[in-house]
Amino acid sequence: MIKISMKLRLFFYWLAGTVLAGAVVSVLASCDLSISPERRPHIQDSPPPTKQQPMAKRKIQLLHTLEEQESTIEALAFTPKSNKLISGNRLGKLKIWNLGAGKQERVLESHTKGIKALAISADGKTLVTSDGMTAKVWNLETGKLQQSFQVGMPVQISADAKVLVSGWLEGRVRIWDVQTGKVVGIIASNSPLAISADGKFIVSGDSDNSTTLWNVRDKKSIRFLEKFSGGVYILSPDGQTLVSSSDEGKVKIWNLSTGKVERILKAGIPLAVSPDGLTLATAFGTSIQLWNLVSGELLACLDSSHSVTKATFSADGKLLANAVASALEATNVQQEAIQVWQVIP
């Protein structure tokens, strides 16, 4: 075994810190909206598409900081009227937050494992949750469980809470009708990576890093994408654009009509796409960026002061909620919270 002197170890620590700091400065430099687009470093690696949709810069205002204090937040969703926010944590608890009062309204002891996904129906009456083993359908008004059924991992739920897709042991993706709790289709792929808001399209991945776009209705593949590896995948509401993370710390924007990468943003991790499909939220450390998904233009940047883990837009796109985590120095215990921002055009 090679022994490394303490001085050499300290040098490596200093070098790693310097590189990380440089990466943070590079990303945050592109967040300075006072810098002209041509001078902002590393926003785009590929040319913009021929069709561009100019958008005004966004102003962001913090409305609430909701203290979770119990466990890591795994999933978030606004109710359709944007007056409430639902969070699911790693302990399997669902928390309903009243945004008018900025307080917790109710807690549902919903799962024995961490909640991986949740969605709310368009009428705001039904909540669907899953821990990757069991899916549950709730009456959101009464908090009563209506039904549950066994699923697999990983799991994705459409934003309208009508379709659920899950992996399974035999290497197949199962498509579920949430209302009946029945399997309505099977796709020959290993893992569901993303689902469109209306549940009409899914993106799946296989062990060889191949990625496929599927039509949920006829269970047929629409397009095969080039092989790539990533950890986070988001489908635009219309199913025409895929946003993915990459091993290089970049965000790739895919045009699913052509199956090609249209743009690469050096923006960290993708968090959410707005319901109108025009705005992308990304995170790098404590920084959150909002991008024009069509042109790649940076619209806004904010510092959450803590590490950002999850995020979601409200139905009208006027609110953005994100989960943050910070380590308390005295106890070294991770503290969770939810920040709710108003996005002003």
Side-chain angles (χ1 to χ4, degrees):
M1 180 180 295
I2 299 175
K3 294 185 178 181
I4 302 176
S5 68
M6 181 59 69
K7 289 184 178 180
L8 191 56
R9 288 184 184 179
L10 291 175
F11 171 74
F12 284 141
Y13 293 156
W14 171 85
L15 182 61
T18 302
V19 172
L20 179 59
V24 172
V25 169
S26 175
V27 172
L28 293 183
S30 70
C31 289
D32 186 354
L33 297 182
S34 64
I35 301 176
S36 61
E38 61 272 14
R39 293 182 57 198
R40 289 185 202 134
H42 309 309
I43 290 183
Q44 294 179 188
D45 281 352
S46 58
T50 55
K51 178 184 177 182
Q52 292 194 19
Q53 183 165 349
M55 296 172 66
K57 297 295 189 292
R58 297 288 193 258
K59 294 182 180 179
I60 309 295
Q61 178 182 350
L62 181 63
L63 297 180
H64 301 291
T65 298
L66 310 172
E67 300 295 339
E68 157 65 39
Q69 295 183 337
E70 269 193 315
S71 178
T72 302
I73 298 166
E74 299 280 0
L76 291 167
F78 284 97
T79 55
K81 294 182 179 180
S82 305
N83 60 336
K84 295 181 182 181
L85 180 70
I86 315 297
S87 65
N89 67 24
R90 194 168 288 179
L91 295 178
K93 292 183 179 180
L94 282 168
K95 295 191 175 184
I96 302 173
W97 304 87
N98 185 316
L99 297 182
K103 296 181 180 180
Q104 180 180 295
E105 187 175 273
R106 184 189 307 169
V107 178
L108 300 178
E109 304 284 347
S110 57
H111 292 267
T112 57
K113 299 180 182 296
I115 297 170
K116 303 299 182 185
L118 63 86
I120 302 169
S121 61
D123 61 8
K125 295 180 179 180
T126 303
L127 170 67
V128 182
T129 63
S130 178
D131 58 9
M133 299 295 289
T134 304
K136 295 187 177 183
V137 181
W138 306 82
N139 183 316
L140 192 52
E141 295 177 338
T142 64
K144 292 183 177 180
L145 180 64
Q146 295 178 321
Q147 70 164 325
S148 65
F149 49 95
Q150 299 300 307
V151 296
M153 289 184 66
V155 62
Q156 303 285 340
I157 307 172
S158 62
D160 61 7
K162 293 182 178 181
V163 180
L164 181 148
V165 291
S166 69
W168 206 256
L169 297 177
E170 73 272 21
R172 295 290 184 269
V173 173
R174 296 193 174 193
I175 304 170
W176 305 78
D177 182 315
V178 170
Q179 185 175 3
T180 63
K182 303 295 184 182
V183 175
V184 294
I186 296 177
I187 289 175
S189 189
N190 285 356
S191 176
L193 303 175
I195 186 169
S196 62
D198 57 9
K200 294 180 179 179
F201 305 97
I202 67 169
V203 171
S204 71
D206 289 288
S207 56
D208 63 353
N209 290 335
S210 61
T211 308
T212 308
L213 175 68
W214 300 83
N215 185 313
V216 171
R217 179 175 297 178
D218 58 20
K219 291 50 169 202
K220 292 183 179 180
S221 61
I222 299 174
R223 184 173 297 280
F224 295 96
L225 305 180
E226 63 184 64
K227 293 183 179 182
F228 68 98
S229 60
V232 180
Y233 303 84
I234 304 171
L235 259 179
S236 62
D238 61 5
Q240 298 302 305
T241 303
L242 175 67
V243 181
S244 71
S245 62
S246 70
D247 295 336
E248 302 85 19
K250 301 174 183 178
V251 174
K252 294 184 177 182
I253 312 298
W254 300 76
N255 183 328
L256 295 182
S257 297
T258 64
K260 302 297 182 182
V261 175
E262 200 166 69
R263 178 173 296 101
I264 298 177
L265 306 175
K266 290 188 177 180
I269 301 173
L271 295 172
V273 174
S274 60
D276 61 8
L278 298 179
T279 307
L280 168 67
T282 64
F284 188 94
T286 65
S287 172
I288 301 175
Q289 305 87 36
L290 299 184
W291 306 82
N292 181 326
L293 192 56
V294 178
S295 69
E297 178 190 10
L298 184 64
L299 301 175
C301 184
L302 58 100
D303 186 5
S304 71
S305 300
H306 301 289
S307 178
V308 181
T309 57
K310 300 287 182 180
T312 187
F313 283 96
S314 61
D316 58 9
K318 294 181 179 179
L319 297 178
L320 174 70
N322 65 274
V324 295
S326 61
L328 302 180
E329 294 182 2
T331 60
N332 200 31
V333 175
Q334 189 170 349
Q335 174 130 4
E336 298 287 326
I338 302 169
Q339 295 172 326
V340 181
W341 307 83
Q342 184 179 14
V343 182
I344 304 171

